[in-house]
Amino acid sequence: SATSMIIVESIALSIMVSNHIVMPLVLRFTQGRGVGQGRGVSQLLLNSRRFSIALILLLGFLYFYLTRDSNALAPIGLISFCGVAQFLPSIIAALFWREASLKAATAAVAVGFVVWAWSSFMPSFQSSSAVVAQIMAEGPWGIAWLRPEALFGIADIDPLVNVVFWSLFLNTATLVVVSLFTTPSALERVQAALFADLFRP
């Protein structure tokens, strides 16, 4: 069952990578060269999916190898769910707030992922890195209120609750502030009208 799960997830992720990362880049950088009309696209997709599968398996093995002496494999699902949750404020804003901009969504997701990587993903390497272990115990440069599992000095709650709260809070705050100080492009305004006014007669 574990092997089948690895196969299914690797194939699914490779399809996502080829469809949403590789193909947009190919279409952007090969305009007018015939690739967009279908020549060589099938072979490119096949090769990109093969490469993605190999890369995903390699990254998964490296993560297992670096965290094999810790208990990080048990809560890895919670760590990944917390990372995926960083898209939630931007998705909600796209559906209900017409003034949200692409720059704001990009900045918000970036801030959320930085907080998530610092407070949730990095601690899983505590057993394999003396530097990470020291940061976990004392904070960076001895700054205790920046300790990953007690961010901003809050140490009396569960570390997972701490990282979810601060990452989503800073994510949402960045989305709101940057949206208020940036102007959406014409294409963004058209798309916002289509999404936000979906149920309007």
Side-chain angles (χ1 to χ4, degrees), residues 57-70:
L57 291 175
L58 176 63
L59 291 175
F61 178 77
L62 284 176
Y63 183 77
F64 162 75
Y65 182 79
L66 293 174
T67 60
R68 65 190 184 280
D69 296 327
S70 70

Side-chain angles (χ1 to χ4, degrees), residues 7 28 33 40 58 62-63 68 99 110 122 132 135 139 152 158 166 171-172 177 184:
I7 293 171
R28 174 175 294 182
R33 299 180 189 174
L58 176 63
L62 284 176
Y63 183 77
R68 65 190 184 280
E99 302 303 319
M122 187 187 69
V132 174
I135 291 175
F152 300 113
D158 184 77
W166 284 115
N171 187 330
T172 306
V177 171

Side-chain angles (χ1 to χ4, degrees), residues 59-192:
L59 291 175
F61 178 77
L62 284 176
Y63 183 77
F64 162 75
Y65 182 79
L66 293 174
T67 60
R68 65 190 184 280
D69 296 327
S70 70
N71 61 349
L73 290 178
I76 186 64
L78 296 175
I79 295 173
S80 59
F81 278 128
C82 181
V84 172
Q86 304 311 312
F87 295 106
L88 182 62
S90 298
I91 292 173
I92 294 176
L95 294 174
F96 298 106
W97 190 25
R98 297 182 60 170
E99 302 303 319
S101 66
L102 176 62
K103 293 178 181 178
T106 304
V109 171
V111 169
F113 268 112
V114 167
V115 176
W116 166 80
W118 175 261
S119 301
S120 185
F121 183 68
M122 187 187 69
S124 63
F125 297 97
Q126 182 177 4
S127 64
S128 61
S129 173
V131 176
V132 174
Q134 182 178 4
I135 291 175
M136 294 289 295
E138 305 172 4
W141 306 288
I143 305 174
W145 59 275
L146 285 180
R147 286 193 304 124
E149 293 188 340
L151 205 57
F152 300 113
I154 301 178
D156 298 330
I157 62 176
D158 184 77
L160 178 66
V161 176
N162 192 346
V163 65
V164 169
F165 171 76
W166 284 115
S167 63
L168 290 180
F169 173 76
L170 295 174
N171 187 330
T172 306
T174 303
L175 177 67
V176 172
V177 171
V178 177
S179 291
L180 293 176
F181 287 95
T182 57
T183 303
S185 65
L187 179 60
E188 290 177 50
R189 287 195 294 270
V190 171
Q191 291 177 335

Side-chain angles (χ1 to χ4, degrees), residues 23-66:
M23 283 308 299
L25 292 175
V26 168
L27 294 175
R28 174 175 294 182
F29 293 111
T30 60
Q31 291 179 351
R33 299 180 189 174
V35 177
Q37 283 72 38
R39 291 196 292 271
V41 173
S42 60
Q43 190 63 35
L44 176 66
L45 280 175
L46 188 61
N47 290 335
S48 66
R49 289 177 184 176
R50 289 172 177 166
F51 177 77
S52 300
I53 290 172
L55 182 62
I56 290 165
L57 291 175
L58 176 63
L59 291 175
F61 178 77
L62 284 176
Y63 183 77
F64 162 75
Y65 182 79
L66 293 174

